[in-house]
Amino acid sequence: MVNLKSNNPLKIGVCNGEMVISSSDDDSIVLYDCQEGKPNRTLYSKKYGVDLIRYTHEANTVVYSSNKIDDTIRYLSLHDNKYIRYFPGHSKRVVALSMSPVDDTFISGSLDKTIRLWDLRSPNCQGLMYLQGKPICSFDPEGLSFAAGVNSEMVKLYDLRSFDKGPFATFKMQYDWTCEWTGLKFSNDGKLILISTNGSFIRLIDAFKGVVMHTFGGYANSKTVTLKASFTPDSWFIMIGSENGKIHVWNGESGIKVAVLDGKYTSPITCLQFNPKFMTFASACSNMVFWLPTIDD
């Protein structure tokens, strides 16, 4: 385990294998070398701030949402720290940002109750959906469709080629007034959808039928912190951080908790990201921590 201290809570952008990127409330964007477990470079977005951040398919470019001045999404070259393009349109904070796994398309969801479809090559919105509540959204692993979670009670699936015609599937979940949905992810095999909440449970549903497979709980989150759960790359296990700095792990098929990882941190672990090339993952609280597998004798 490699531990790197920060003075502010961190959010992890998607790891591209060689590097992982984080954003922080102090307006910093930090690139970490995954193999060395060390910070490689620090950039700042002092004017606009930085919130959600995602790698594009080019190793040296990212898109990120802002938390100052306006809610424009920005396309940044890490090589020379210059903006390539701006994506204006949202009128409130962006709460979901997902890059297509296959091309230059990305989607964003905002508290303005819209989901917008973008192409990195154009500043103009390529598609706009009006919803009845706060959205979360994510692409499927093939980049052919995306899922939208709406009002913390409904999952809608859209075909990317004809999303303006409405969802091709809608799954209604039982509403829980004690919390709201904070994240949505597909498993890498496309068969499952994981719904994160700011409560003390997460849900695993069948991506084709919408049936709740398991509800995972038993971790600390009394202060309704936004915690983001994650699949392991093989889609077998589900992991989430907690308010007291521990990471909980379940078997996705059986629903049984198989491990609790304790990094001895007192601040909430808000997000986890797995490395697609190496058998490691990173967790973020006020520390960036790289976890390595142990080998039993």
Side-chain angles (χ1 to χ4, degrees):
M1 185 171 66
V2 180
N3 177 20
L4 300 166
K5 181 68 175 176
S6 171
N7 294 323
N8 295 82
L10 300 172
K11 294 180 181 179
I12 309 176
V14 175
C15 176
N16 68 3
E18 303 297 331
M19 306 291 291
V20 65
I21 196 164
S22 73
S23 60
S24 174
D25 292 342
D26 65 0
D27 306 328
S28 65
I29 298 170
V30 182
L31 286 77
Y32 299 86
D33 186 302
C34 291
Q35 295 191 62
E36 296 292 329
K38 297 178 180 179
N40 181 275
R41 190 181 177 198
T42 300
L43 308 173
Y44 289 94
S45 178
K46 291 292 187 182
K47 182 177 181 180
Y48 303 112
V50 56
D51 193 12
L52 304 178
I53 189 165
R54 302 288 183 263
Y55 271 113
T56 70
H57 297 291
E58 297 292 332
N60 288 318
T61 61
V62 294
V63 290
Y64 70 86
S65 61
S66 310
N67 52 18
K68 292 181 179 180
I69 297 183
D70 58 28
D71 300 286
T72 295
I73 298 169
R74 292 173 167 83
Y75 182 19
L76 176 68
S77 167
L78 302 174
H79 172 69
D80 52 11
N81 195 23
K82 292 183 178 179
Y83 293 113
I84 301 170
R85 192 159 289 117
Y86 298 92
F87 302 97
H90 285 302
S91 59
K92 292 185 179 180
R93 184 167 67 92
V94 173
V95 293
L97 191 61
S98 179
M99 192 76 206
S100 167
V102 297
D103 58 27
D104 287 335
T105 305
F106 69 96
I107 51 176
S108 58
S110 166
L111 294 179
D112 62 14
K113 300 181 182 180
T114 66
I115 290 177
R116 290 177 179 263
L117 176 68
W118 310 90
D119 189 304
L120 288 175
R121 296 164 293 187
S122 170
N124 301 316
C125 177
Q126 305 295 301
L128 175 62
M129 294 170 46
Y130 292 95
L131 304 171
Q132 297 301 311
K134 172 188 172 181
I136 52 177
C137 53
S138 180
F139 278 100
D140 82 317
E142 294 183 344
L144 298 176
S145 62
F146 66 89
V150 185
N151 282 342
S152 299
E153 63 178 347
M154 199 176 301
V155 176
K156 296 175 178 284
L157 300 181
Y158 295 85
D159 188 312
L160 197 62
R161 296 158 296 188
S162 57
F163 73 92
D164 55 326
K165 297 180 180 178
F168 64 83
T170 299
F171 308 137
K172 184 76 179 290
M173 306 282 112
Q174 182 177 355
Y175 181 74
D176 191 316
W177 62 270
T178 64
C179 64
E180 63 179 19
W181 294 359
T182 57
L184 183 152
K185 282 186 178 180
F186 280 90
S187 59
N188 284 340
D189 60 12
K191 296 178 181 179
L192 302 168
I193 295 174
L194 182 59
I195 299 172
S196 301
T197 76
N198 64 355
S200 55
F201 69 90
I202 52 179
R203 284 202 176 106
L204 184 68
I205 69 171
D206 185 297
F208 301 105
K209 300 177 182 178
V211 177
V212 177
M213 309 292 289
H214 297 289
T215 299
F216 305 111
Y219 58 90
N221 192 18
S222 62
K223 298 178 181 178
T224 63
V225 178
T226 296
L227 304 175
K228 299 290 181 71
S230 182
F231 288 100
T232 55
D234 58 13
S235 305
W236 288 2
F237 298 96
I238 287 90
M239 306 175 72
I240 193 170
S242 61
E243 185 180 75
N244 58 7
K246 295 180 180 180
I247 296 173
H248 297 252
V249 187
W250 295 268
N251 181 298
E253 184 174 358
S254 68
I256 297 173
K257 185 177 288 187
V258 296
V260 178
L261 307 178
D262 190 356
K264 307 299 182 183
Y265 304 113
T266 56
S267 56
I269 295 178
T270 55
C271 55
L272 308 167
Q273 286 288 351
F274 276 85
N275 192 308
K277 294 184 179 180
F278 305 107
M279 195 179 294
T280 63
F281 71 92
S283 64
C285 49
S286 56
N287 300 59
M288 174 71 78
V289 181
F290 292 86
W291 299 77
L292 307 174
T294 57
I295 300 175
D296 297 327
D297 295 331

